[in-house]
Amino acid sequence: MWKAERGRTKGTGAFVRVVLLTALAFCCTLPAAWALSGPESAGTIPDLGLPDTPGGLALPQCYDPAQAKDNPLLGALHLTLGRAQKLTVKAFTYGGRTSLTGLSVRPTFALSGTSGAVEDGSGRPVILPRTGLEAMRARDDQAQSFAAQFDAGRGKLSFSLQNVGAKFPDAANSLSGVDQSDLQALVKAAGTQAFDLSGSYQLLPGASFSSTRTALSNDKPGDDKRGLTTTDWANALSLTLGKSTSMRLALTDHSEEWDPTTGKTGLARRTTEFGGESKFGQGGKYSLRFGLTDVSTTTGGREQSDKTRELHLALPLHSHLRLNADYTARDGTNGAQTTNLVGAVLQLYPGAELTANLKTLSVGGKDTQERFLKFTGDLGHGGSSANLQAEQTSTRTPDAGMVENTNLGLKGVLGKGGGTINVRAAFQEKRGDNPSAALERLATFHLERAFGPRFILDADREEKARGTVGRFDTETKSVCALTAALTPRTKLTAGVSLLDNSAAPSTAWNRDLVLEHRLAGLQLRAEEHRCDRGPDQKNEIGFGVDWPQGKLPEWAAGLSRRHEFGDAYEYQVKREATWLELPFSGTRFWAEQRRGGDDDGARTWLVSHRTVLAKRYHLQLTYHDRPDYEEGDKKGRPQPLRREYAELGVPFAHGLIGRTWFQAEQHATDPLSQRHTVGLALLGKLHSQAQVELDYAQDSGSWEGRVVDRNAVALLYSKRLDDTRNLSLKLGYAWGENVTDARNRDCRLTLAYTNGL
């Protein structure tokens, strides 16, 4: 047993000693962790017989290199020096099932140095990498990890190396005696080499210094970041002056270097930060904080610099009143801008606050002013209570003038016991300050009252306004409905609604009846809708049956209308119909008869089936006769056509999903009008923080005497390069002729690069 002299070490002597101790621990652990011998020298490392106690040294597990292909080596060293000094070393190595056989390995472990050479079973030399992290690259299914930590009270030092082969995850399942959290971390790091060195030291009672250097090299096959080495070096000096003032100076270097064979451009960024905070007043309740930041970025020989100056003042004058002021100035490649903000928070009563801010943004000599008011509070008492959220933002710009945005939200309960009434109200408005400015308004009100366990009364009112401040159209809709649970399996809903549109000559009355019943796994539904608008009367009677046979997997739910990009339809992607949505695996049947009005006698039929075959292939078959228009002036009326639809979808690797579909349409009154659509799509979110969508569709046939021959392709891709940068490419191209647009070619291309800095 080896024991160290107990005592307290001061000054730099502790760090001199930790270097020697780390080297000693490394030498003790390295032979068991990295020295893999061939058959001629196979043997067992002798048991040191050292107990794992303070002041002692122990290797908890011995290792036979001949068994490396089946068992990993776990080495741990715990060392205690004095009362406040601790050293911990942890090592892991796995020689692999294929790499060890007939191999004599003596690699260099240093971060720099000469290359090492090994021989395989045939006597051919294998040259190890020469310098840097490349010198410790693991091959095949090997994995090594080494970590050391030293704590000397005033100073701390930690060091780690991690080197995992690309095929190590294939061998990880056969390992035993390894902590699963550590093993999963190695599996996740397959194909990478990582280095981490960090330390901190308490210079004075009010001063400390810390430094961290990390490096990560990516060699994952198939990864789009393969060949990238990322290095970060952060240094910080913190000072505390008395009880009320603190300052911090930090210098951070970040670099990204690519392997020359990739042809990609590297990046270097240096960030200098200096800031501090001072507290003053009684008890230090007031605070003044400042910050200076300088970011210099070099990419492909091009350098850009961004500087930021910040000043923040917080003045809590009273327990019910808080004032704050902020000043921010930015000067960079994109120009200079200054932001001034003055704000106050007033507590009106417990549970209610009023916030007011005045902000001025100056860019290029032009000022934009913004006023912000917000109220959040609880209203009412006793059995009636509500919460009100109200805010208004007024923005005045040099070009657009004044624009006001108002948002109100109220949610509460009136009454108590069985007679409670739930109330929700919302108001949203955006308007300018002159008669020609745009106006948008939406106001909603909802009331719900339960009468016992079987009856629920709902009342809704919605008002929309759109146009200009001087001239706008309004649309008002009022609905009242009563839902009755006649039996545990039967539900009846009866409602009446009033629709008033300022652009329409008369008011429309609607009456609705809906009956739902569950019967032996079937969901039956019957409904009647009656509309009276002046002398015109329309009646619609519908009946449907749903036969659910299970839930759809997550990747298949909504697949027929799924897109990775919200603006996909702007790039020649055809908009899908809502009747394709079937939220379960099973069959749906629907029939509807119309009487009165322009659609008198029209019948609508729908039969749809969705299923997943062999737990992998999504299949949907649908037939629809006289589907409704889904937009435009004829929305809700039947279209004079019949549709047949078939779709097949399947998930692929890397989070991608593919689908292909076929749709045939025939005019209900013109047998010669027929058109067909064939489509392919591949979309999904990739593991490397990227998303992609590829669509192709071909329309062919004839419609109402015109030829239909149209092809469209869309490619949409977006990738998050890092925390601040994003790259996207969106392309839509169509050629040929269709019914709605006779242009031969139509193309839209968007290439965007964003940088948060």
mmCIF file of all heavy atoms in Angstrom, residues 699 706-711 735-739 741-744:
data_model
loop_
_atom_site.group_PDB
_atom_site.id
_atom_site.type_symbol
_atom_site.label_atom_id
_atom_site.label_comp_id
_atom_site.label_asym_id
_atom_site.label_seq_id
_atom_site.Cartn_x
_atom_site.Cartn_y
_atom_site.Cartn_z
ATOM 1 N N ASP A 699 -50.334 15.438 -64.059
ATOM 2 C CA ASP A 699 -51.745 15.481 -64.421
ATOM 3 C C ASP A 699 -51.880 15.219 -65.913
ATOM 4 O O ASP A 699 -51.143 15.813 -66.729
ATOM 5 C CB ASP A 699 -52.359 16.845 -64.084
ATOM 6 C CG ASP A 699 -52.351 17.117 -62.589
ATOM 7 O OD1 ASP A 699 -52.397 16.146 -61.822
ATOM 8 O OD2 ASP A 699 -52.285 18.299 -62.196
ATOM 9 N N ARG A 706 -60.700 20.837 -72.794
ATOM 10 C CA ARG A 706 -59.324 21.310 -72.767
ATOM 11 C C ARG A 706 -58.400 20.171 -72.355
ATOM 12 O O ARG A 706 -58.741 19.330 -71.522
ATOM 13 C CB ARG A 706 -59.160 22.473 -71.799
ATOM 14 C CG ARG A 706 -59.978 23.703 -72.187
ATOM 15 C CD ARG A 706 -59.684 24.846 -71.266
ATOM 16 N NE ARG A 706 -58.278 25.226 -71.310
ATOM 17 C CZ ARG A 706 -57.770 26.227 -70.585
ATOM 18 N NH1 ARG A 706 -58.554 26.918 -69.772
ATOM 19 N NH2 ARG A 706 -56.497 26.520 -70.668
ATOM 20 N N VAL A 707 -57.212 20.172 -72.942
ATOM 21 C CA VAL A 707 -56.228 19.137 -72.660
ATOM 22 C C VAL A 707 -55.544 19.426 -71.327
ATOM 23 O O VAL A 707 -55.199 20.568 -71.022
ATOM 24 C CB VAL A 707 -55.185 19.056 -73.791
ATOM 25 C CG1 VAL A 707 -54.090 18.051 -73.439
ATOM 26 C CG2 VAL A 707 -55.860 18.679 -75.097
ATOM 27 N N VAL A 708 -55.336 18.368 -70.562
ATOM 28 C CA VAL A 708 -54.625 18.469 -69.289
ATOM 29 C C VAL A 708 -53.325 17.671 -69.423
ATOM 30 O O VAL A 708 -53.350 16.455 -69.619
ATOM 31 C CB VAL A 708 -55.460 17.929 -68.116
ATOM 32 C CG1 VAL A 708 -54.682 18.049 -66.816
ATOM 33 C CG2 VAL A 708 -56.781 18.666 -68.025
ATOM 34 N N ASP A 709 -52.214 18.352 -69.380
ATOM 35 C CA ASP A 709 -50.900 17.707 -69.456
ATOM 36 C C ASP A 709 -49.925 18.574 -68.678
ATOM 37 O O ASP A 709 -49.306 19.488 -69.210
ATOM 38 C CB ASP A 709 -50.460 17.548 -70.904
ATOM 39 C CG ASP A 709 -49.143 16.791 -71.012
ATOM 40 O OD1 ASP A 709 -48.709 16.227 -69.991
ATOM 41 O OD2 ASP A 709 -48.551 16.773 -72.110
ATOM 42 N N ARG A 710 -49.795 18.281 -67.393
ATOM 43 C CA ARG A 710 -49.029 19.152 -66.508
ATOM 44 C C ARG A 710 -48.134 18.317 -65.614
ATOM 45 O O ARG A 710 -48.559 17.304 -65.043
ATOM 46 C CB ARG A 710 -49.988 19.983 -65.644
ATOM 47 C CG ARG A 710 -49.322 21.078 -64.818
ATOM 48 C CD ARG A 710 -48.888 22.231 -65.660
ATOM 49 N NE ARG A 710 -48.563 23.417 -64.877
ATOM 50 C CZ ARG A 710 -47.986 24.487 -65.379
ATOM 51 N NH1 ARG A 710 -47.686 24.531 -66.669
ATOM 52 N NH2 ARG A 710 -47.712 25.536 -64.633
ATOM 53 N N ASN A 711 -46.868 18.713 -65.469
ATOM 54 C CA ASN A 711 -45.917 18.071 -64.582
ATOM 55 C C ASN A 711 -45.397 19.113 -63.593
ATOM 56 O O ASN A 711 -45.154 20.266 -63.971
ATOM 57 C CB ASN A 711 -44.739 17.485 -65.352
ATOM 58 C CG ASN A 711 -45.162 16.364 -66.283
ATOM 59 O OD1 ASN A 711 -45.135 15.200 -65.917
ATOM 60 N ND2 ASN A 711 -45.571 16.710 -67.506
ATOM 61 N N TRP A 735 -44.359 22.436 -65.681
ATOM 62 C CA TRP A 735 -44.394 22.678 -67.121
ATOM 63 C C TRP A 735 -45.581 21.918 -67.722
ATOM 64 O O TRP A 735 -46.073 20.956 -67.152
ATOM 65 C CB TRP A 735 -43.083 22.238 -67.765
ATOM 66 C CG TRP A 735 -42.796 20.768 -67.689
ATOM 67 C CD1 TRP A 735 -43.025 19.827 -68.646
ATOM 68 C CD2 TRP A 735 -42.230 20.071 -66.571
ATOM 69 N NE1 TRP A 735 -42.643 18.591 -68.216
ATOM 70 C CE2 TRP A 735 -42.125 18.711 -66.955
ATOM 71 C CE3 TRP A 735 -41.786 20.449 -65.305
ATOM 72 C CZ2 TRP A 735 -41.624 17.738 -66.104
ATOM 73 C CZ3 TRP A 735 -41.287 19.481 -64.464
ATOM 74 C CH2 TRP A 735 -41.203 18.151 -64.855
ATOM 75 N N GLY A 736 -46.051 22.385 -68.856
ATOM 76 C CA GLY A 736 -47.224 21.817 -69.500
ATOM 77 C C GLY A 736 -48.428 22.713 -69.319
ATOM 78 O O GLY A 736 -48.317 23.901 -68.994
ATOM 79 N N GLU A 737 -49.610 22.171 -69.534
ATOM 80 C CA GLU A 737 -50.852 22.933 -69.432
ATOM 81 C C GLU A 737 -51.805 22.230 -68.484
ATOM 82 O O GLU A 737 -51.827 21.009 -68.389
ATOM 83 C CB GLU A 737 -51.519 23.070 -70.808
ATOM 84 C CG GLU A 737 -50.712 23.872 -71.818
ATOM 85 C CD GLU A 737 -51.452 24.023 -73.132
ATOM 86 O OE1 GLU A 737 -52.525 23.418 -73.259
ATOM 87 O OE2 GLU A 737 -50.948 24.730 -74.010
ATOM 88 N N ASN A 738 -52.611 23.049 -67.776
ATOM 89 C CA ASN A 738 -53.681 22.500 -66.968
ATOM 90 C C ASN A 738 -54.926 23.336 -67.168
ATOM 91 O O ASN A 738 -54.955 24.278 -67.964
ATOM 92 C CB ASN A 738 -53.282 22.435 -65.486
ATOM 93 C CG ASN A 738 -52.937 23.802 -64.928
ATOM 94 O OD1 ASN A 738 -53.234 24.838 -65.517
ATOM 95 N ND2 ASN A 738 -52.288 23.803 -63.772
ATOM 96 N N VAL A 739 -55.976 23.007 -66.431
ATOM 97 C CA VAL A 739 -57.256 23.659 -66.655
ATOM 98 C C VAL A 739 -57.241 25.099 -66.171
ATOM 99 O O VAL A 739 -57.740 26.007 -66.826
ATOM 100 C CB VAL A 739 -58.373 22.855 -65.954
ATOM 101 C CG1 VAL A 739 -59.705 23.584 -66.076
ATOM 102 C CG2 VAL A 739 -58.480 21.473 -66.571
ATOM 103 N N ASP A 741 -54.596 27.100 -65.415
ATOM 104 C CA ASP A 741 -53.496 27.973 -65.796
ATOM 105 C C ASP A 741 -52.821 27.387 -67.031
ATOM 106 O O ASP A 741 -52.278 26.292 -66.995
ATOM 107 C CB ASP A 741 -52.480 28.087 -64.650
ATOM 108 C CG ASP A 741 -51.462 29.193 -64.901
ATOM 109 O OD1 ASP A 741 -51.411 29.685 -66.038
ATOM 110 O OD2 ASP A 741 -50.748 29.549 -63.957
ATOM 111 N N ALA A 742 -52.867 28.114 -68.137
ATOM 112 C CA ALA A 742 -52.352 27.597 -69.404
ATOM 113 C C ALA A 742 -50.888 27.931 -69.626
ATOM 114 O O ALA A 742 -50.364 27.707 -70.704
ATOM 115 C CB ALA A 742 -53.181 28.155 -70.564
ATOM 116 N N ARG A 743 -50.188 28.477 -68.641
ATOM 117 C CA ARG A 743 -48.778 28.791 -68.824
ATOM 118 C C ARG A 743 -47.974 27.510 -69.007
ATOM 119 O O ARG A 743 -48.201 26.517 -68.328
ATOM 120 C CB ARG A 743 -48.251 29.578 -67.629
ATOM 121 C CG ARG A 743 -48.808 30.993 -67.545
ATOM 122 C CD ARG A 743 -48.252 31.710 -66.328
ATOM 123 N NE ARG A 743 -48.693 31.065 -65.099
ATOM 124 C CZ ARG A 743 -48.281 31.439 -63.884
ATOM 125 N NH1 ARG A 743 -47.429 32.441 -63.772
ATOM 126 N NH2 ARG A 743 -48.721 30.830 -62.817
ATOM 127 N N ASN A 744 -47.026 27.547 -69.922
ATOM 128 C CA ASN A 744 -46.227 26.364 -70.190
ATOM 129 C C ASN A 744 -45.255 26.061 -69.061
ATOM 130 O O ASN A 744 -45.035 24.914 -68.714
ATOM 131 C CB ASN A 744 -45.453 26.545 -71.499
ATOM 132 C CG ASN A 744 -46.379 26.549 -72.698
ATOM 133 O OD1 ASN A 744 -47.417 25.912 -72.669
ATOM 134 N ND2 ASN A 744 -45.999 27.274 -73.732
#
